[in-house]
């Protein structure tokens, strides 16, 4: 860095209900890690360093969703000591895979899983961070794309707007020259309604996109699912496509609920 | 143009080798990812020998032929624009130095491509992109250098897909000009036409014979077969006014219910030329690359201005695409922006067919005119 007197922003990383994969993406930035460490002062990142400095922090990365009363309280505290909050990953931005409990009775789960469920204090739902506090940036993905993570950090450090395109995965497929698996092979693909960010990985390995990055801007899930149903894909295949890491993202949630209704209507007709 | 020559089947390899000897990177159709794409080829065996494609709105399938034809299919998901107007281009770089920002442009020799298997609609598409990139007030240097260096071996279609409508757009299926060499595949080889001095230079080095009357006859029949197979039509009568005078027609809403705004149609289209340029800095902010990437009017970010997207609905984006392609392109570049290749129809995940959308618009406009709820011209706007 040429400007050694530039004050380095203090970075914190907080974890809520999640698998750690997203924060590990930061440690995964091998080649760029030194540049990151140069650009920011890592003040609180338990996964990476046992030195934990108190707030306030300039940039706070939040991973994970809110699933317990304790976390619902803790996130307020994180907001209080953070200037800019960036939520990272599907859990933090949409509720994550654990939001499948939003469709079930969580008490049943507790009884199934824990020998002494009375010791467990949990909420009935898994919700994204933005449902609880004001969030400055959301970084999608399960896990986040490390290039995008670096882009956001770089932008915040250098005082510019992060470049995070909100178009469909299809645009990335086409730029790469990947042949559409939906059109050429009839593989149901969520790419047309899914937010860019992964670099269109799945279609380049002959599989359909399953929506890790959540809904693209103004996505038309209804048209896409209708098309798949009309061309013979069954609901049992489509439902888990929409109901996984971003199940509780509003557009995917509505689409999967609609599919279920369709299934019920069809069942009633039979 | 001299009378056609005959190139024996086994000599196709010779053509490819001769082009390579002259320093061309030969690119042509080949089977990959369950489709016929364009990629580098080094021999005739790399071509999709004995394959064909079955196409319909939203669907493409490869299928075995019962012969060993080299060119027994039509156009696929790729187009030659990926070579002339690459999906991602480094335009310039900048480095922060003690003396200030140091700008540099990449000094690269343009690749010399020989395109093998360019169809008539694709020749027309290249011609359209020439007008866009070379004949306006601004010349695109990347395109210019690649285009000037390229050698074109056209192929006359001998069959058509259900999505082809070049006859409606007057672009094919016969290749009439704008090529160096043109082939028509017949039983034992190819009719070879020479279209330029460069083409003549290559043809002279191949073992060709003068085509016999019978071979010429076979060529005519093969080309006629393509014409006969074309079923799809687009009525282009008064199409500019049809679209531009009915920007508030309810039909736009109908198509927007189905359109995903996924961008596929524009990116497979051989004439669509939109791109966006972005500065991509590294973590230190001391090195910045300026990149140009394919972009699309269906991308919501593409019309982002002053804090919000100007085309903030699927309806307005679809309308922008169709009215530009078929109407305002005429004002801007003096021709339609569509060559009738059918790619946007095949590669639309929900099978939206622009020929049917034009027909639906005609019908809707007629219905509106006959009903009492007609929108007066004064109420029409260019953007909603
Ligand atoms: S493979 Fe999927 S993401 Fe890629 S273009 Fe096709 S539908 Fe879009
Ligand atoms: S017309 Fe089809 S390919 Fe084009 S943006 Fe709409 S859904 Fe995608
Ligand atoms: S608009 Fe469609 S049919 Fe016309 S040239 Fe483009 S891709 Fe081909």
């Amino acid at each position: 860095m040429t400007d050694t007197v530039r004050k380095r922003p203090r970075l914190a990383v907080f974890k809520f209900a999640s698998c750690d994969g997203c924060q590990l993406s930061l440690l995964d930035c091998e080649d760029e890690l030194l540049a990151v460490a140069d650009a920011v002062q890592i003040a609180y990142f338990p996964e990476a360093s046992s030195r934990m400095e108190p707030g306030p922090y300039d940039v706070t990365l939040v991973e994970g969703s809110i699933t317990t009363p304790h976390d619902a309280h803790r996130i307020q505290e994180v907001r209080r000591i953070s200037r800019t909050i960036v939520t990272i990953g599907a859990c933090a931005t949409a509720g994550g895979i654990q939001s499948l409990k939003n469709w079930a009775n969580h008490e049943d789960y507790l009884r199934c899983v824990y020998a002494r469920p009375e010791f467990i204090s949990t909420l009935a739902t898994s919700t994204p961070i933005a449902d609880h506090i004001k969030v400055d940036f959301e970084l999608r993905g399960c896990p986040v794309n490390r290039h995008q993570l670096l882009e956001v950090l770089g932008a915040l450090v250098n005082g510019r707007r992060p470049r995070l395109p909100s178009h469909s995965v299809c645009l990335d497929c086409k730029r790469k020259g990947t042949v559409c698996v939906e059109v050429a092979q009839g593989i149901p693909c969520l790419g047309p309604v899914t937010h860019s960010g992964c670099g269109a990985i799945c279609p380049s390995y002959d599989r359909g996109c399953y929506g890790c990055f959540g809904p693209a801007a103004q996505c038309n899930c209804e048209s896409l699912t209708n098309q798949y149903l009309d061309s013979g894909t069954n609901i049992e295949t489509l439902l888990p496509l929409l109901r996984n890491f971003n199940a509780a993202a509003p557009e995917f949630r509505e689409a999967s609920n609609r599919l279920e209704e369709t299934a019920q209507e069809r069942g009633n007709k039979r | 143009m001299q009378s056609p020559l005959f190139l024996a089947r086994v000599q196709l390899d010779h053509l490819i080798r001769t082009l390579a000897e002259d320093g061309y990177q030969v690119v042509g159709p080949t089977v990959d990812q369950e489709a016929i794409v364009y990629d580098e080829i080094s021999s005739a065996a790399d071509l999709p020998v004995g394959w064909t494609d079955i196409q319909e709105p939203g669907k493409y399938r490869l299928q075995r032929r019962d012969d060993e034809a080299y060119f027994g299919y039509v156009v696929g998901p790729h187009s030659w624009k990926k070579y002339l107007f690459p999906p991602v281009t480094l335009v310039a770089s900048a480095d922060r130095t003690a003396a200030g920002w140091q700008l540099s442009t990449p000094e690269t020799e343009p690749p010399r491509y020989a395109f093998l298997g360019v169809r008539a609609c694709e020749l027309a598409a290249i011609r359209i992109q020439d007008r866009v990139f070379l004949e306006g007030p601004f010349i695109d240097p990347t395109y210019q250098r690649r285009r000037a260096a390229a050698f074109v071996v056209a192929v006359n279609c001998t069959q058509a897909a259900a999505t082809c409508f070049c006859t409606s757009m007057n672009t094919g299926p016969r290749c009439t000009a704008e090529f160096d060499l043109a082939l028509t595949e017949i039983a034992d080889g190819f009719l070879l036409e020479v279209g330029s001095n460069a083409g003549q230079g290559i043809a002279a080095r191949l073992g060709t014979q003068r085509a016999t009357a019978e071979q010429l006859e076979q060529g005519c029949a093969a080309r006629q077969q393509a014409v006969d197979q074309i079923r799809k039509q687009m009525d282009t009568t008064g199409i500019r006014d049809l679209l531009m005078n009915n920007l508030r027609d309810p039909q736009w809403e109908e198509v927007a219910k189905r359109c995903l705004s996924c961008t596929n149609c524009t990116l497979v289209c051989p004439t669509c030329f939109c791109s966006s340029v972005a500065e991509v800095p590294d973590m230190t902010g001391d090195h910045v690359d300026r990149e140009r990437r394919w972009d699309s009017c269906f991308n919501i970010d593409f019309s982002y201005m002053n804090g919000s997207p100007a085309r903030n609905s699927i309806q307005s984006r679809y309308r922008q695409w169709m009215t530009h392609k078929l109407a305002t392109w005429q004002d801007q570049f003096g021709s339609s922006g569509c060559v009738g290749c059918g790619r946007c129809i095949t590669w639309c995940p929900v099978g939206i067919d622009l020929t049917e959308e034009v027909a639906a618009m005609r019908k809707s406009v007629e219905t509106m005119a006959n009903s009492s709820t007609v929108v007066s011209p004064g109420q029409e706007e260019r953007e909603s």
Side-chain angles (χ1 to χ4, degrees), chain A:
Chain A
M1 177 135 53
T2 48
D3 181 8
T4 44
V5 293
R6 209 189 295 171
K7 195 166 168 294
R8 293 184 305 157
R10 303 181 75 230
L11 177 83
V13 183
F14 284 91
K15 173 184 155 67
F16 288 78
S18 58
C19 77
D20 279 23
C22 288
Q23 26 175 328
L24 285 180
S25 308
L26 186 56
L27 293 176
D28 244 7
C29 294
E30 294 148 7
D31 297 342
E32 301 90 349
L33 204 54
L34 285 177
V36 173
D38 236 1
V40 299
Q41 183 200 338
I42 298 176
Y44 181 89
F45 189 2
E47 190 93 14
S49 160
S50 51
R51 200 185 69 203
M52 296 182 243
E53 297 170 15
Y57 310 107
D58 297 305
V59 178
T60 297
L61 303 180
V62 174
E63 178 196 86
S65 68
I66 303 299
T67 56
T68 65
H70 174 247
D71 276 355
H73 178 75
R74 189 162 62 101
I75 190 65
Q76 301 297 336
E77 179 62 13
V78 170
R79 176 71 269 186
R80 210 177 53 73
I81 54 173
S82 309
R83 187 133 65 105
T84 300
I85 288 194
V86 182
T87 50
I88 57 169
C91 298
T93 58
I97 188 82
Q98 58 273 29
S99 68
L100 288 179
K101 78 172 183 175
N102 302 2
W103 279 270
N105 181 350
H106 80 296
E107 304 282 351
D108 292 345
Y109 279 175
L110 283 181
R111 278 191 293 273
C112 272
V113 176
Y114 298 100
R116 305 292 300 272
E118 62 272 26
F119 293 146
I120 307 292
S121 158
T122 179
L123 297 169
T125 55
S126 169
T127 43
I129 301 298
D131 281 8
H132 300 263
I133 56 163
K134 179 182 166 291
V135 169
D136 301 290
F137 287 106
E138 289 196 321
L139 198 54
R140 309 279 203 86
C142 184
V144 290
N145 173 316
R146 62 190 183 92
H147 299 291
Q148 286 205 332
L149 185 54
L150 288 171
E151 163 64 17
V152 170
L153 287 178
L156 292 175
V157 167
N158 292 302
R160 60 179 175 83
R161 233 178 94 95
R163 197 163 67 109
L164 296 176
S166 59
H167 56 69
S168 68
V169 176
C170 300
L171 180 47
D172 299 312
C173 269
K174 289 292 177 284
R175 284 184 185 142
K176 285 169 76 174
T178 303
V179 175
C180 179
V181 299
E182 203 273 283
V183 172
Q185 302 184 52
I187 299 172
C189 177
L190 278 197
V193 294
T194 298
H195 199 282
S196 163
C198 64
I201 301 170
C202 290
S204 56
Y205 291 94
D206 279 340
R207 36 174 308 178
C209 164
Y210 54 102
C212 300
F213 278 66
Q218 290 179 0
C219 62
N220 189 346
C221 292
E222 188 161 5
S223 170
L224 190 70
T225 49
N226 284 345
Q227 168 76 10
Y228 289 157
L229 290 178
D230 291 348
S231 58
T233 309
N234 54 31
I235 293 181
E236 294 68 39
T237 308
L238 289 181
L239 210 53
L241 268 185
L242 289 158
R243 266 196 204 156
N244 52 50
F245 320 107
N246 289 284
E251 296 89 340
F252 284 5
R253 181 179 60 213
E254 278 160 34
S256 73
N257 288 346
R258 209 163 35 226
L259 275 178
E260 251 175 2
E261 280 164 29
T262 313
Q264 256 157 27
E265 280 164 25
R266 288 183 181 183
N268 291 346
K269 262 187 224 152
R270 260 186 227 135

Side-chain angles (χ1 to χ4, degrees), chain B residues 258-266 298 314 318 321 344 347-352:
Chain B
R258 286 186 295 140
C259 176
L260 310 166
S261 202
C262 64
T263 76
N264 278 309
C265 49
T266 52
F298 282 101
I314 295 182
Y318 187 91
W321 176 65
C344 58
W347 298 97
C348 172
V350 291
I352 294 174

Side-chain angles (χ1 to χ4, degrees), chain B residues 165 265 268-271 321 325 337-345 354:
Chain B
F165 60 104
C265 49
V268 292
C269 178
T271 70
W321 176 65
K325 184 102 323 199
C338 174
V339 297
C341 72
R343 282 183 178 87
C344 58
I345 303 172
L354 118 140

